[in-house]
């Protein structure tokens, strides 16, 4: 199995928006009983705001590939959910269901983290217990994450656990 991540360009935003439809569909189960995640009259979920991923330094959109087949996406920014300074934060991370459970997500996460050694934050929505289990395994079992801390926040800005850690560079240096 070969997992790769490629940087997405603004011209590839339609691909990301298509994938975001699946992501939002999967995530909508957590919004039951609310109007969040309702379909528009055209049968689609609301478009995801992508402009900052093409214009802001430290923000990036990547496509995840398994053996040359599009499998998902990752969005990274520098926005902290915890309020503590962070170099990189996982904004969104998605794999199509057929690519889950075989190590693709873990490999993609390690590639994503390795592209930006330093401080990271992964905030997980409280109801998304499967994602929390995935991120705990991917980070704690990697051998490249240090100073791992998990906090829990429930306020007007975030509701759920937040994993913070340092990701080692090529030589194991976590000071970058």
């Amino acid at each position: 199995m070969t997992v790769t991540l490629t940087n997405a360009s603004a011209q590839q935003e339609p691909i990301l928006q298509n994938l975001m439809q699946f992501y939002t569909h999967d995530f909508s189960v957590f919004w039951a009983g609310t109007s969040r995640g309702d379909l528009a009259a055209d049968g689609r979920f609301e478009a995801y705001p992508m402009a900052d991923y093409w214009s802001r330094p430290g923000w990036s959109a990547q496509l995840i590939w398994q053996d040359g087949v599009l499998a998902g996406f990752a969005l990274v920014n520098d926005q902290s959910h915890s309020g503590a300074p962070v170099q990189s934060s996982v904004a969104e991370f998605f794999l199509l269901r057929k690519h889950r459970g075989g190590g693709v997500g873990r490999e993609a996460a390690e590639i994503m983290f390795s592209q930006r050694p330093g401080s990271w934050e992964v905030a997980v929505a409280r109801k998304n217990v499967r994602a929390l289990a995935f991120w705990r395994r991917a980070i704690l079992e990697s051998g490249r994450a240090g100073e791992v801390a998990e906090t829990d926040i429930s306020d007007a800005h975030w509701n759920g656990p937040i994993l913070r850690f340092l990701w080692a560079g090529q030589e194991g240096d976590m000071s970058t």
Side-chain angles (χ1 to χ4, degrees):
M1 171 183 70
T2 302
V3 176
T4 56
L5 274 67
T6 58
N7 290 325
S9 68
Q11 291 73 29
Q12 292 174 305
E13 182 174 342
I15 297 168
L16 285 158
Q17 291 293 354
N18 288 340
L19 289 168
M20 193 60 73
Q21 293 293 302
F22 297 112
Y23 176 79
T24 304
H25 174 265
D26 280 2
F27 216 83
S28 69
V29 69
F30 304 124
W31 300 325
T34 74
S35 61
R36 189 171 181 192
D38 284 348
L39 291 172
D42 66 357
R44 293 181 56 82
F45 295 105
E46 183 178 339
Y48 189 87
M50 295 291 303
D52 286 338
Y53 290 94
W54 319 130
S55 62
R56 291 183 65 168
W59 289 48
S60 67
Q62 296 184 307
L63 297 172
I64 301 170
W65 304 84
Q66 178 186 356
D67 297 328
V69 174
L70 185 59
F73 67 86
L75 301 180
V76 175
N77 63 33
D78 59 2
Q79 303 298 295
S80 171
H81 283 81
S82 69
V86 68
Q87 291 170 305
S88 301
S89 178
V90 177
E92 313 292 352
F93 188 90
F94 173 73
L95 282 179
L96 291 166
R97 290 180 182 185
K98 73 177 280 180
H99 298 281
R100 296 177 191 171
V104 175
R106 185 174 177 161
E107 180 70 20
E110 288 197 18
I111 293 168
M112 177 182 66
F113 296 145
S114 295
Q115 291 171 340
R116 297 181 184 208
S119 63
W120 277 86
E121 188 172 279
V122 178
V124 182
R126 182 166 313 285
K127 292 182 179 180
N128 200 348
V129 294
R130 290 187 72 195
L132 181 58
F134 164 78
W135 287 115
R136 282 177 176 155
R137 279 190 316 274
I139 294 164
L140 294 171
E141 296 175 7
S142 71
R144 299 208 31 210
E147 298 183 33
V148 180
E150 183 173 333
T151 59
D152 193 280
I153 293 180
S154 181
D155 63 23
H157 303 289
W158 187 250
N159 183 18
I162 299 171
L163 296 160
R164 293 181 52 86
F165 57 95
L166 293 178
W167 191 265
Q170 292 288 50
E171 296 78 36
D173 178 19
M174 294 189 192
S175 63
T176 54

